[in-house]
Amino acid sequence: MFNSIEDRALSEHLGSGLFIKKASGKYSILLPITGTGENGSAPAQLDKTAVGNKQATSVEGRTENPQKTIPFYAHRDNITILEELKGKPCDFLRVLPDLTAMKYSGKINYKLNNTDVGGLEQGEITITPTTGDTYVENCYALLEDTAIITNDIIDKVVIAKQGTHKINVTTEPADATIEVVQEDGGSSYATASASENVVTITGVAEGSTIVRIKTSKVGYASFVRSVLVIVE
């Protein structure tokens, strides 16, 4: 996953990253992916038989925009992003380490493929392009970094009624704002609050809720990590 534009450009060993256009008009990382799919295709060749010459040959035909298939880790947060984007027209930017890029538009779909890689389930994103690829020689001005959570956040917390669990959160940039968002009605089972770099979850009643930890900063795309809270 690439978030820092400068760090990406300085590395000789990073592959490309897939960015998506946000409401700000700039592009930020779509989600952590393990590849970015192929861009473009060679012109199709059409078989023909020349008049007076029965030797088969070929001519250049139309240029196709094939579907782009991209593997991803089937984590709750990634699926949430894809559910929000599924079927909607989006603008994408495939960014290379030297900050050249290919820009195109398309629609997203996805599926889970039951592939287990190192204990992590994988899925497959399919982007159906609606435009061809446009080369961008210098995409730096188009990119927006993401205010990310840099430490591991546990996926599930089990607590007792009236019990508490604290989650330390570190961010990049360090002064990003941290807030918590709960699903509707979730506070009936547990409450969550953020103070500086600590999120405190308190059990209320038996049940479960999802707490989302969101980081944001002006000039950066926001970032969300979720925790399933089970109160016993």
Side-chain angles (χ1 to χ4, degrees):
M1 178 176 178
F2 304 122
N3 296 285
S4 170
I5 299 168
E6 292 85 355
D7 287 350
R8 292 190 63 260
L10 290 173
S11 174
E12 296 178 353
H13 305 292
L14 293 180
S16 55
L18 185 62
F19 289 63
I20 188 170
K21 194 173 186 178
K22 299 294 184 67
S24 64
K26 292 199 171 187
Y27 293 80
S28 60
I29 198 74
L30 171 61
L31 49 77
I33 52 179
T34 60
T36 57
E38 294 299 323
N39 274 69
S41 64
Q45 288 191 329
L46 306 177
D47 288 338
K48 77 175 185 73
T49 301
V51 175
N53 182 351
K54 301 214 181 272
Q55 181 181 1
T57 183
S58 61
V59 295
E60 186 174 291
R62 63 186 175 87
T63 300
E64 295 181 344
N65 296 309
Q67 283 189 333
K68 305 176 193 301
T69 303
I70 304 163
F72 75 101
Y73 291 115
H75 184 276
R76 180 193 307 119
D77 297 330
N78 292 343
I79 294 174
T80 298
I81 291 171
L82 293 173
E83 278 291 318
E84 291 175 354
L85 297 174
K86 187 170 66 174
K88 298 177 182 177
C90 301
D91 296 319
F92 300 97
L93 200 65
R94 181 185 180 186
V95 180
L96 301 174
D98 62 358
L99 295 182
T100 58
M102 285 290 183
K103 181 167 62 173
Y104 63 94
S105 300
K107 293 183 179 180
I108 282 183
N109 208 336
Y110 76 95
K111 65 179 180 179
L112 305 183
N113 56 17
N114 296 320
T115 301
D116 188 306
V117 178
L120 298 172
E121 292 288 328
Q122 280 202 325
E124 192 172 79
I125 301 169
T126 300
I127 299 177
T128 303
T130 54
T131 67
D133 301 316
T134 301
Y135 175 60
V136 181
E137 187 176 28
N138 175 9
C139 68
Y140 182 85
L142 298 177
L143 302 182
E144 182 177 65
D145 280 344
T146 301
I148 63 168
I149 296 173
T150 57
N151 61 311
D152 290 334
I153 300 295
I154 192 169
D155 288 330
K156 181 180 73 174
V157 169
V158 179
I159 56 178
K161 287 184 289 184
Q162 308 307 316
T164 61
H165 182 89
K166 294 183 183 295
I167 300 174
N168 293 316
V169 181
T170 57
T171 65
E172 176 59 42
D175 60 348
T177 299
I178 299 170
E179 61 179 311
V180 293
V181 181
Q182 285 185 261
E183 58 188 17
D184 291 341
S187 58
S188 299
Y189 304 107
T191 60
S193 61
S195 177
E196 296 182 350
N197 289 84
V198 177
V199 171
T200 302
I201 300 171
T202 303
V204 175
E206 290 185 7
S208 64
T209 180
I210 291 178
V211 172
R212 290 184 168 85
I213 303 171
K214 180 179 180 180
T215 56
S216 59
K217 183 179 178 179
V218 175
Y220 289 73
S222 60
F223 187 80
V224 176
R225 277 288 171 263
S226 65
V227 180
L228 172 63
V229 179
I230 298 174
V231 182
E232 296 181 336

